[in-house]
């Protein structure tokens, strides 16, 4: 679910260009302190979640990171997310609406790498808290250029272009990913 949603209707915090340069996306600036353990992430302002779930803010980043690192999670990357975002005595903190710090407790060489994987897109805290994880994870509420419409297990995933997307509106109206 996360790969289809994360790579289509969701967006990652950072992205790679064709030459494998790390570029801003939902995170516009990032830095780490001299201890190599306290990361500061500045967020893109004015990015709406699909289906009217509000604006993407620091609260959504903190919620996303905490959920991905939560005990009992089923992600194959759970141990990695716990190491990066869920260390005892550390973790993400919203400094203001568009700034998050993440204390990794110990230096983590791959922190930035996990900010551009499509398996960990930003999720809407209000969507998950209102609908519950069992429902929200299948609604495809994201910030990406494609809005999730429907899927049929082992058949297809259908998305519609988001008009006036904050980065760029897709050049065609519908995207269908077929499960072959």
């Amino acid at each position: 679910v996360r790969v289809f949603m994360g790579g289509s209707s969701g967006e990652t915090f950072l992205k790679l260009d064709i030459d494998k340069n790390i570029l801003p996306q939902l995170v516009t600036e990032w830095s780490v302190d001299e201890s190599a353990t306290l990361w500061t992430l500045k967020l893109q302002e004015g990015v709406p979640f699909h289906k009217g779930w509000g604006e993407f803010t620091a609260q959504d980043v903190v919620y996303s990171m905490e959920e991905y690192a939560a005990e009992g999670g089923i992600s194959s990357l759970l141990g990695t997310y716990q190491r990066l975002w869920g260390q005892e005595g550390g973790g993400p903190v919203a400094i203001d609406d568009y700034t998050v710090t993440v204390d990794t407790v110990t230096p983590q060489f791959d922190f930035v790498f996990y900010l551009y994987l499509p398996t960990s897109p930003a999720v809407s805290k209000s969507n998950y808290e209102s609908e519950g994880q069992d429902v929200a994870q299948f609604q495809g509420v994201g910030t990406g250029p494609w809005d999730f419409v429907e899927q049929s297990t082992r058949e297809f995933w259908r998305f519609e272009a988001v008009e006036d997307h904050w980065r760029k509106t897709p050049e065609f109206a519908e995207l269908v990913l077929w499960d072959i």
Side-chain angles (χ1 to χ4, degrees), residues 128-159:
Y128 271 71
E129 287 183 340
S130 294
E131 301 290 323
Q133 182 174 343
D134 291 343
V135 172
Q137 70 180 339
F138 295 107
Q139 290 179 329
V141 173
T143 60
W146 297 101
D147 189 7
F148 174 70
V149 176
E150 67 175 327
Q151 66 91 24
S152 177
T153 303
R154 297 187 182 154
E155 191 176 351
F156 68 88
W157 295 74
R158 185 181 322 278
F159 303 85

Side-chain angles (χ1 to χ4, degrees), residues 16-22:
L16 290 180
D17 69 10
I18 196 159
D19 297 319
K20 298 184 181 146
N21 296 306
I22 300 169

Side-chain angles (χ1 to χ4, degrees), residues 34-137:
E34 290 181 15
S35 72
T37 63
L38 187 64
W39 293 83
T40 301
L41 309 174
K42 299 285 187 178
L43 308 181
Q44 178 71 43
E45 296 182 27
V47 176
F49 277 105
H50 302 155
K51 299 173 178 57
W53 284 103
E55 182 183 359
F56 167 74
T57 68
Q59 293 300 322
D60 299 300
V61 174
V62 171
Y63 182 82
S64 297
M65 288 181 169
E66 287 177 347
E67 286 300 305
Y68 286 130
E71 272 306 315
I74 60 171
S75 171
S76 62
L77 296 172
L78 178 62
T80 300
Y81 292 145
Q82 288 175 333
R83 174 176 54 82
L84 296 173
W85 305 331
Q87 288 285 347
E88 186 174 329
V93 174
I95 302 304
D96 59 39
D97 284 348
Y98 304 104
T99 309
V100 173
T101 59
V102 182
D103 186 346
T104 59
V105 180
T106 59
Q108 301 295 327
F109 72 96
D110 55 351
F111 181 85
V112 171
F113 174 76
Y114 285 94
L115 295 180
Y116 61 78
L117 286 186
T119 55
S120 52
V123 299
S124 166
K125 177 181 178 182
S126 60
N127 174 234
Y128 271 71
E129 287 183 340
S130 294
E131 301 290 323
Q133 182 174 343
D134 291 343
V135 172
Q137 70 180 339

